[in-house]
Amino acid sequence: MIEISNLTKIYRAKKRKNHCALKNINLTLPDKGLVFVLGKSGSGKSTLLNLIGGLDNITSGKIVVDGNDLSGFSEGDFCNYRNSHIGFIFQDYHLIEELTVYDNILLSLNLSGEKDGEKVKSALAKVDLAGYEDRYPSELSGGEQQRVAIARTI
């Protein structure tokens, strides 16, 4: 479960006025199911996800994930948290062009201490890309690249 209390994020600008991206957000997300974050451009959707994922710092408030308060996390704690609890699929996929599909996914597993190639094949099968292991990102369509990013997250 993710519990968010009085969450505020202010971006501090050097020469311009500060920008409040989120102000006093209170939200509880369940352990299971799907959650959709909807809103117009600039409404704070990505900021909220970046804070939950530990990719950005909270200005004030709390985010508690499975009883763990993220405000007390070190950078190492955040790395472990992102490797074991959170998966991100970025808009530009962040695939490494010099690596094959297989190696792009295996790299993610290696970061979490695993080296099981069968997990790569299983993840590719789940996104209907079995047999694409030896291809490079430049050899894939945009949709296929997106599915590789999803497989990496799985």
Side-chain angles (χ1 to χ4, degrees):
M1 178 178 299
I2 299 174
E3 298 172 275
I4 299 170
S5 335
N6 299 313
L7 182 64
T8 297
K9 175 61 181 176
I10 298 172
Y11 289 101
R12 310 239 183 251
K14 292 180 182 177
K15 295 184 179 183
R16 290 184 288 165
K17 188 175 171 186
N18 291 342
H19 174 71
C20 183
L22 298 173
K23 185 175 181 181
N24 295 326
I25 302 297
N26 293 288
L27 181 65
T28 300
L29 303 173
D31 285 334
K32 295 181 181 180
L34 295 174
V35 175
F36 295 89
V37 181
L38 304 172
K40 65 181 185 175
S41 179
S43 64
K45 303 178 300 292
S46 294
T47 299
L48 176 64
L49 294 175
N50 287 338
L51 293 171
I52 292 170
L55 297 175
D56 202 353
N57 297 318
I58 298 168
T59 302
S60 66
K62 277 179 127 176
I63 300 176
V64 178
V65 179
D66 295 333
N68 298 304
D69 184 351
L70 300 187
S71 64
F73 275 22
S74 67
E75 189 55 41
D77 292 332
F78 274 121
C79 289
N80 290 332
Y81 166 68
R82 284 188 294 267
N83 281 333
S84 61
H85 284 79
I86 295 286
F88 277 93
I89 302 167
F90 294 96
Q91 287 179 327
D92 64 2
Y93 318 130
H94 290 289
L95 299 177
I96 300 171
E97 291 294 326
E98 295 78 23
L99 297 180
T100 64
V101 165
Y102 180 91
D103 290 332
N104 264 284
I105 297 169
L106 187 63
L107 178 63
S108 178
L109 285 170
N110 288 342
L111 291 173
S112 62
E114 298 201 34
K115 300 181 188 328
D116 187 356
E118 287 305 311
K119 287 189 176 184
V120 173
K121 291 182 180 183
S122 172
L124 284 170
K126 288 178 182 176
V127 297
D128 200 27
L129 288 177
Y132 283 62
E133 294 86 351
D134 294 330
R135 293 192 187 185
Y136 288 87
S138 62
E139 300 171 339
L140 304 174
S141 71
E144 290 166 339
Q145 289 180 32
Q146 184 176 41
R147 287 186 281 153
V148 171
I150 292 168
R152 183 181 54 202
T153 302
I154 292 170

